[in-house]
Amino acid sequence: MSNKSTALTLTPEIQEAFQPAVLEVIRTSLCPTASDAEFLLFAHKAASYGLDPFKNEIFFIKYGQQARIQFAAEAYLSKAREKEGFQPPDTQTVCANDTFRAKKYKNEKGEDEWEVIEHEVTFPRGAIVGAYSIAYRDGKRPVTVFVDKEHIAHMYTGQNKDNWNKWEPDMIGKHAEQRALKKQYGLEFGDDQLNQQPEYVTNPYERRDVTAESTESEPLKTIAPDKGDKEETPVDRTKALKTQIKAKYQALGLKDKSEFDAHAAEFFQVKGEIPTEPEIIAYLKIMDQQIQAAADDLPV
């Protein structure tokens, strides 16, 4: 990111939710590739919905020129907990050898609803064929959502196919749970294409490059290998960080050097010829965000 300062204008929601120093960290660590307009809309959405970018509840995702805001499945659970009468949902996968029965009934609005009558597990369970989630709430009828694997087959062959095939039970379960929570608690975030600014702006916010400020304060021992009482050198730390980068390439589904280089060219911001520790840490944070976003990539 350029060192040239750029004046940004903030909505009242942003100003109330985030201190300027926090916004700087979000901009440089979580949204380093965002334009001013994209960053403002991201911060406005996070502030408006009360979501914490540092808890992986909301993400800024950008590949090439395409950018969007994505809301994690955990965001729905987090906001549901704040609602009156919250009860934890019951989310289960259904496998080929399970005994499973459900019935349909009409609710008070005349709408079709479902109720699980029986779900017994037999081992071996066989392949996953679907999932369901029951969203409970005090004083309300439970809301049950079923997901038939055949109806979401595109998830297993699409852009996020590696995560859906690797973590299938979690992915299909989160998919059902998110939909059930949305319906029971009236939650609606939705994914947004970032092509416009918020409708109103107020006081200016001075943006500056704080990559070093936002990362140097973090204890390196939290990400470096444990070497007991032996003093760790900068070379040791850098080597450990680069090892983490290689592992995260694999987690992102990148398979060869050409893909590694393409990802680094887009997201690894290095000012000099050799990356500094803070720059490597900032890159690792971006990769962590993308890995989590991929795991929670649950279109509804």
Side-chain angles (χ1 to χ4, degrees):
M1 186 172 67
S2 172
N3 287 325
K4 184 179 179 180
S5 295
T6 305
L8 299 182
T9 48
L10 307 180
T11 66
E13 289 84 353
I14 296 174
Q15 294 181 76
E16 182 178 352
F18 302 113
Q19 294 295 319
V22 176
L23 281 174
E24 291 175 348
V25 176
I26 294 174
R27 180 65 193 259
T28 57
S29 297
L30 303 182
C31 306
T33 59
S35 67
D36 288 348
E38 292 166 350
F39 173 68
L40 283 172
L41 188 55
F42 174 80
H44 180 74
K45 290 288 187 181
S48 298
Y49 291 127
L51 299 176
D52 189 342
F54 298 105
K55 292 182 179 178
N56 296 325
E57 294 177 348
I58 182 171
F59 301 96
F60 173 80
I61 306 296
K62 189 170 185 176
Y63 291 100
Q65 297 302 310
Q66 184 178 3
R68 65 188 176 98
I69 294 171
Q70 183 171 302
F71 301 87
E74 180 59 31
Y76 288 87
L77 187 58
S78 175
K79 301 310 290 185
R81 289 193 182 102
E82 299 175 2
K83 299 289 187 178
E84 183 179 355
F86 170 77
Q87 292 188 34
D90 179 11
T91 303
Q92 305 291 337
T93 57
V94 180
C95 298
N97 294 334
D98 292 357
T99 299
F100 180 81
R101 294 192 304 122
K103 71 175 183 179
K104 184 166 63 176
Y105 65 91
K106 296 287 185 180
N107 63 19
E108 60 274 10
K109 297 180 181 180
E111 301 169 335
D112 288 338
E113 296 282 1
W114 287 90
E115 179 182 0
V116 176
I117 303 301
E118 179 184 16
H119 184 192
E120 293 186 354
V121 174
T122 301
F123 289 94
R125 297 188 66 186
I128 291 175
V129 296
Y132 65 90
S133 183
I134 307 172
Y136 297 99
R137 189 175 186 180
D138 292 341
K140 303 286 185 180
R141 279 183 173 271
V143 171
T144 303
V145 169
F146 297 102
V147 174
D148 188 329
K149 182 176 177 178
E150 291 185 359
H151 295 164
I152 57 169
H154 59 283
M155 297 291 192
Y156 293 83
T157 58
Q159 184 177 6
N160 200 21
K161 62 183 180 181
D162 290 340
N163 287 316
W164 271 86
N165 287 283
K166 185 175 182 180
W167 294 300
E168 181 182 19
D170 289 337
M171 297 295 284
I172 196 170
K174 285 182 179 182
H175 187 79
E177 183 174 287
Q178 178 176 307
R179 290 172 55 188
L181 290 172
K182 286 180 63 175
K183 191 172 182 181
Q184 177 66 275
Y185 293 95
L187 302 174
E188 187 61 58
F189 300 140
D191 288 354
D192 291 310
Q193 296 296 325
L194 305 188
N195 53 15
Q196 60 181 358
Q197 296 190 45
E199 295 178 359
Y200 50 91
V201 294
T202 55
N203 296 338
Y205 156 66
E206 192 75 5
R207 176 170 63 82
R208 52 197 174 88
D209 192 347
V210 294
T211 301
E213 298 174 26
S214 65
T215 56
E216 286 181 339
S217 61
E218 296 184 2
L220 290 175
K221 65 182 181 181
T222 62
I223 55 175
D226 182 8
K227 297 191 177 182
D229 296 330
K230 181 181 178 181
E231 184 176 354
E232 193 172 49
T233 68
V235 174
D236 292 333
R237 292 196 298 266
T238 300
K239 184 177 180 181
L241 293 172
K242 290 183 177 180
T243 298
Q244 290 188 47
I245 288 177
K246 293 180 180 179
K248 293 184 190 300
Y249 281 146
Q250 300 299 322
L252 285 168
L254 305 178
K255 298 179 176 60
D256 54 43
K257 188 177 184 300
S258 63
E259 294 183 350
F260 300 163
D261 291 344
H263 188 276
E266 184 169 0
F267 298 105
F268 197 177
Q269 298 186 19
V270 180
K271 295 179 181 179
E273 294 184 2
I274 300 176
T276 64
E277 286 182 11
E279 288 171 340
I280 297 174
I281 293 171
Y283 184 41
L284 286 167
K285 285 186 175 182
I286 293 171
M287 299 173 83
D288 284 336
Q289 181 186 9
Q290 293 173 342
I291 291 167
Q292 182 64 42
D296 290 329
D297 189 6
L298 306 173
V300 294

